[in-house]
Amino acid sequence: MPEATGNEEARDFIRDLVQSDLARGQVQSIVTRFPPEPNGYLHLGHAKSICLNFGIATEYGGRCHLRFDDTNPVKEEQEYIDGIKRDVRWLGFDWGEHLHHASDYFQTLYDWAEHLIRSGLAYVDDTPPDEMRAMRGTLTEPGRASPDRDRSVEANLALFRDMRAGKFPNGACVLRAKIDLASGNINMRDPVLYRILHTSHPRTGTEWCIYPTYDFAHGQSDALEHVTHSLCTLEFADHRPLYDWFLDHLPVPARPRQTEFARLNIGYTVLSKRHLTDLVRRGIVNGWDDPRMPTLAGLRRRGVPPKAIRDFVRRIGMSKANSVVDLAMFDHAIRDHLNQVAYRRMAVLRPLKLVIENFPEDHVEELEAVNHPGDPAAGTRTLRFGREIFVERDDFMENPSNKFFRLAVGREVRLRYAYLVTCREVVKDADGNVVELRCTYDPASRGGNAPDGRKVKATLHWVSARDALPAEVRLYSTLFNRPDPGAGGDLDADLNPGSLEVLSGALLEPSLAETPEGEAVQFERLGYFCPDMASQSKALVFNRTIDLRDTWAKVQVQS
């Protein structure tokens, strides 16, 4: 498992707060938590929270808990629980012995709900949901009291126990806290603590038919686990007074401190679990791990290394104000890492046959090619070169423009690791399409350099016709063609119809058959690619991780 410390440490207002709390003796050791709801797969926004919570715990010698907020069994599935565990580990973190679930505390939470009732701070309300919502008021109008707000403690206890015993149908009543209906913060206007859900739970089965709300379970779970710093995104800032109110009025064993940071927003990307779920259910994408999805499963399948994600999170830092991060910055982090570690290979995505007429027909030469130009320790591999090879169709132009320096009739180019060749003739089919190039080579230019020192302006990649392996290559682009998808009111209208292009006739050098699933390599001159999970030895499938163009670097130069 990759390390998640070292040069990934950063300074920000949350780390300053943690350090201050330690220095003042406010806390003795750091305990954080990552509390996902198992109703979908983790995405890039979750990665920011994971890196923050696990990173801080590691940096300060503490621990981070993985706790599933499994309080809504209607939407939760074991598939999501397993996927979340897999994604957190893949990203480079481990919770050790500290795997927890809100459902671990269902009995304690129930007991504390009765504690609030006995204290006169909670009541059972059977107001219909629509009426209850309207009675909570607006930002400019206070809430109105339910007729049930003044029920006696004894009546509320009896009704709550009847709820627990399953005597009421779904939606018949709820348990609400009695706080302040005139509060300017709507979250404090008698929020719901428990609702009735007659459905099986992934862990507790049918033991419970009432379930705590997130607001009631979250802070108390933090307290039971002795979490010191509860780190949440900014949308929970308005919930912090409620978080603290529960801690003030319940016999909790510890008092966590909630601090908010800006969630991740990134251009051309949707990070709403609701929208992502909808895309999956409607078949707009091919599952949660579709390489176009911003899920960690999708990024993994696309070949994005976990360290690139951690580097990206470190670079963008933590702030107190929401903003949108340029997608090019994420792309830059991916390229920056892959450029350092990815082996180089040759592949031709749109093949065009090239016949070297003066090369012996049955002769095969073995050429040495480096695996990584910046890492001599990566070694070399052997390429076989013969009379017939394939080059990229885009590397030939019948009527070249002034700035086109690749293949054209009468023009000489370099074949990577091989020879200088000159195009002599173009072969076309009956429809006038170019199907073959007839060339000659300079036998004295082995390795790509002419003995007379003449220069050529282009170096092309190629594959041997004798050895090349057929493959399907999937070219992925952004799922949306607008930097702020859905801002116009219609998310589907912003879908990119060209987000996936499938090339069924690609040809690869033989060594690519040994590439491990999910490990990105560089197809020279084309980009970074990785084998898909569906790839097999006799039916290779590669996904494009990212192309070679680094727009973020250009932005940095221009700024």
Side-chain angles (χ1 to χ4, degrees), residues 415-470:
L415 297 178
R416 179 81 158 143
Y417 301 117
Y419 293 95
L420 302 182
V421 298
T422 301
C423 181
R424 301 298 184 186
E425 181 185 351
V426 177
V427 179
K428 299 181 179 181
D429 63 14
D431 296 323
N433 300 310
V434 176
V435 294
E436 187 177 295
L437 302 179
R438 293 278 172 166
C439 302
T440 57
Y441 86 115
D442 180 355
S445 65
R446 182 183 169 103
N449 294 310
D452 61 4
R454 69 183 185 274
K455 304 295 183 182
V456 296
K457 294 184 177 181
T459 299
L460 309 186
H461 62 280
W462 55 274
V463 293
S464 166
R466 184 188 298 261
D467 301 318
L469 301 177

Side-chain angles (χ1 to χ4, degrees), residues 387-417:
R387 175 184 172 89
E388 296 184 355
I389 64 172
F390 286 95
V391 295
E392 204 70 54
R393 185 168 293 275
D394 291 345
D395 282 338
F396 171 78
M397 186 174 289
E398 193 169 8
N399 299 298
S401 61
N402 291 335
K403 294 186 178 181
F404 185 85
F405 301 115
R406 287 164 280 168
L407 273 172
V409 175
R411 182 168 301 169
E412 186 176 49
V413 299
R414 177 184 296 104
L415 297 178
R416 179 81 158 143
Y417 301 117

Side-chain angles (χ1 to χ4, degrees), residues 39-40 272-282 288:
N39 62 354
S272 160
K273 194 183 291 184
R274 177 173 61 86
H275 287 314
L276 296 178
T277 300
D278 183 61
L279 292 172
V280 172
R281 288 179 177 168
R282 291 194 291 129
W288 285 97

Side-chain angles (χ1 to χ4, degrees), residues 31 33 63 65 67 100 105 221-227:
V31 181
R33 84 290 170 270
R63 67 177 189 266
H65 299 181
R67 182 177 71 240
H100 304 287
Y105 315 124
S221 298
D222 285 346
L224 287 164
E225 294 173 20
H226 291 264
V227 167

Side-chain angles (χ1 to χ4, degrees), residues 87-399:
D87 288 345
V88 173
R89 285 198 174 102
W90 172 76
L91 196 55
F93 302 98
D94 198 343
W95 51 89
E97 299 178 352
H98 298 286
L99 175 63
H100 304 287
H101 303 75
S103 55
D104 296 338
Y105 315 124
F106 277 177
Q107 185 59 53
T108 300
L109 292 170
Y110 175 84
D111 293 341
W112 283 351
E114 286 205 355
H115 175 89
L116 291 176
I117 293 173
R118 286 192 294 270
S119 302
L121 296 175
Y123 61 98
V124 174
D125 190 352
D126 53 15
T127 302
D130 289 344
E131 291 183 32
M132 188 184 305
R133 194 175 301 113
M135 291 171 67
R136 292 187 73 189
T138 66
L139 293 175
T140 58
E141 297 178 357
R144 292 178 287 117
S146 163
D148 303 324
R149 197 171 194 262
D150 295 325
R151 273 183 172 140
S152 68
V153 168
E154 293 74 17
N156 282 313
L157 278 174
L159 287 169
F160 188 51
R161 289 167 182 171
D162 284 346
M163 287 173 60
R164 168 72 177 90
K167 295 183 179 181
F168 302 117
N170 289 354
C173 51
V174 296
L175 181 71
R176 298 176 68 180
K178 187 186 293 187
I179 307 180
D180 182 4
L181 291 169
S183 173
N185 186 336
I186 293 180
N187 294 297
M188 302 297 285
R189 296 179 187 175
D190 291 12
V192 172
L193 308 185
Y194 270 87
R195 71 278 199 214
I196 302 170
L197 291 172
H198 287 278
T199 188
S200 180
H201 187 281
R203 296 188 73 243
T204 62
T206 57
E207 180 181 352
W208 294 88
C209 63
I210 59 171
Y211 293 94
T213 59
Y214 176 85
D215 277 330
F216 187 59
H218 179 61
Q220 283 59 263
S221 298
D222 285 346
L224 287 164
E225 294 173 20
H226 291 264
V227 167
T228 58
H229 295 80
S230 179
L231 306 176
C232 307
T233 46
L234 284 176
E235 61 264 35
F236 292 100
D238 287 343
H239 294 250
R240 192 188 336 141
L242 180 57
Y243 183 99
D244 291 337
W245 187 90
F246 287 133
L247 297 180
D248 289 339
H249 293 88
L250 290 171
V252 293
R255 190 173 182 91
R257 178 177 180 179
Q258 178 174 310
T259 304
E260 303 84 23
F261 61 93
R263 64 178 296 169
L264 176 62
N265 297 295
I266 188 165
Y268 296 93
T269 308
V270 167
L271 294 179
S272 160
K273 194 183 291 184
R274 177 173 61 86
H275 287 314
L276 296 178
T277 300
D278 183 61
L279 292 172
V280 172
R281 288 179 177 168
R282 291 194 291 129
I284 303 298
V285 294
N286 299 315
W288 285 97
D289 64 348
D290 187 306
R292 293 168 292 180
M293 290 279 274
T295 57
L296 298 187
L299 294 172
R300 178 169 63 246
R301 188 171 178 181
R302 208 179 96 196
V304 175
K307 188 176 185 301
I309 297 175
R310 300 197 306 268
D311 286 346
F312 168 66
V313 171
R314 177 178 54 82
R315 290 173 185 181
I316 62 175
M318 297 292 157
S319 67
K320 299 180 181 181
N322 284 324
S323 61
V324 178
V325 176
D326 192 332
L327 178 62
M329 191 173 180
F330 181 48
D331 290 348
H332 174 71
I334 298 171
R335 290 191 190 92
D336 189 47
H337 179 69
L338 289 178
N339 183 53
Q340 300 174 48
V341 303
Y343 278 10
R344 272 50 169 177
R345 297 290 185 259
M346 289 203 287
V348 174
L349 303 188
R350 299 172 177 85
L352 176 61
K353 192 174 184 179
L354 188 153
V355 178
I356 305 173
E357 295 184 306
N358 63 331
F359 196 91
E361 193 160 343
D362 295 323
H363 181 59
V364 174
E365 289 192 18
E366 292 189 342
L367 306 173
E368 186 177 60
V370 299
N371 288 323
H372 195 295
D375 182 11
T380 62
R381 67 194 189 280
T382 299
L383 300 175
R384 288 159 58 89
F385 184 82
R387 175 184 172 89
E388 296 184 355
I389 64 172
F390 286 95
V391 295
E392 204 70 54
R393 185 168 293 275
D394 291 345
D395 282 338
F396 171 78
M397 186 174 289
E398 193 169 8
N399 299 298

